[in-house]
Amino acid sequence: MERKRVLITGAAGFLGSHLCDRFIKEDFHVIAMDNLITGDLQNIAHLFKLENFEFYNHDVSKFVYIPGKLDYILHFASPASPIDYLKIPIQTLKVGSLGTHNLLGLARNKNARMLIASTSEVYGDPSVNPQPEEYWGNVNPVGPRGVYDEAKRFQEAITMAYHTFHGLETRIVRIFNTYGPRMRLNDGRVLPAFIGQALRGEDLTVFGDGSQTRSFCYVDDLVEGIYRLLFSDYAQPVNIGNPDEITIKQFGEEIIKLTGTNQKLVLKDLPVDDPKQRRPDITKARALLNWEPKINRAEGLKITYDYFRSLPKEALINTEHKDFKTYNK
Ligand code: UDP
């Protein structure tokens, strides 16, 4: 039987590369796309030898063309950390808006089902906890996170419009904080920041007083949820995340224990608009997808720490993005 064909954008990134692995494992033909401003080919290097894998170096904010048939599109291209939004705000807006529009057009043209990667950031700094899908959010459009949050909100809106107006088959996953191997050590996110600091023998930088909360999901659990959502028949947004909520201070203490570092937690200024609390309500995912996370933080952190420890020493040096300065805005 002919293989089903899936286009994965952001394929060289953290989540995109894990999705490539999953779809290869399920015997799909995977067409991977990335412009490599935040992605890294290292994450998918092991797939290039396969006959059912191909890679396009392309920016989806520009017209996207794929020869042949397409059954599914998973749009995971986007900068995804507050440091990235500050460095490449325009690209962040473009990939969520123009990029999504291009891919929706492609999906229509190919009669493909399209799943978009949305985010808990659509809830902003939420005034209800945990956050159910029905909560509309509390977002500052002109703050530093606005470029990401509003691009993602627009992305949901245009995806839903293609669904209702054109009858396109669409799926929307709202992804909460996720971690695991292949996170970028210098992306500024709390987990690679803490583990990188521990490995370099630096103090761990807690922003604010560390009382803000997050709920961390291990990447394999997330991928399973996304896989189930794609093959469900539900077009409304679905939260996928781990509801096990923890303060950032407690999280720092867990990393100190895990890594056995002699360093301590030091407090730094809280970034502007940093959400005070975040925890997914996963009632819908449980009911519709029969999904819930299986890997607890202790197990997931151990695997992730082992991955970071196995990287060559040079990787620990906090380097700038390769081509932020030259990239065409
Ligand atoms: N954070 C921190 N120290 C760091 C990096 C992040 O205390 O070195 C905090 C950050 O202020 C936020 C939380 O950790 O409250 C999670 O940050 P991250 O950037 O990972 O993701 P967010 O959920 O804010 O998008």
Side-chain angles (χ1 to χ4, degrees), residues 110-141:
K110 303 279 184 184
N111 203 12
R113 182 180 296 181
M114 167 119 159
L115 181 145
I116 58 148
S118 188
T119 165
S120 53
E121 282 287 323
V122 301
Y123 302 124
D125 185 5
S127 52
V128 299
N129 199 45
Q131 294 83 53
E133 289 84 348
E134 292 73 24
Y135 178 58
W136 290 351
N138 175 34
V139 171
N140 174 5

Side-chain angles (χ1 to χ4, degrees), residues 52-72:
N52 56 329
F53 179 82
E54 54 187 306
F55 176 75
Y56 289 83
N57 185 339
H58 180 69
D59 176 356
V60 297
S61 306
K62 312 218 165 84
F63 183 83
V64 185
Y65 172 73
I66 298 288
K69 77 174 182 101
L70 260 189
D71 300 291
Y72 303 100

Side-chain angles (χ1 to χ4, degrees), residues 80-82 85 121 145 177 188-191 193-194 197 205-208 212-214 216 248 270-271 274-275 278:
S81 82
Y85 321 147
E121 282 287 323
R145 289 171 179 257
N177 293 67
R189 292 198 157 274
V190 66
L191 181 138
F194 281 175
Q197 287 161 342
T205 51
V206 169
F207 296 163
Q212 71 274 31
T213 67
R214 293 294 185 274
F216 297 97
I248 294 302
L270 189 67
D274 199 290
R278 182 181 291 154

Side-chain angles (χ1 to χ4, degrees), residues 28 59 103 164 182 188 225 228 235 238-239 307 309 326:
F28 280 71
D59 176 356
L103 293 164
T164 48
R182 302 185 193 154
R228 290 187 189 202
V238 178
N239 289 339
Y307 163 79
R309 261 201 305 191
T326 54

Side-chain angles (χ1 to χ4, degrees), residues 45 50 111 125 163 174 242 249 280 282 295 306 321:
L50 303 174
N111 203 12
D125 185 5
H163 175 68
R174 289 190 182 147
N242 190 322
K249 188 153 176 275
I282 58 166
I295 298 167
D306 288 345
H321 293 278

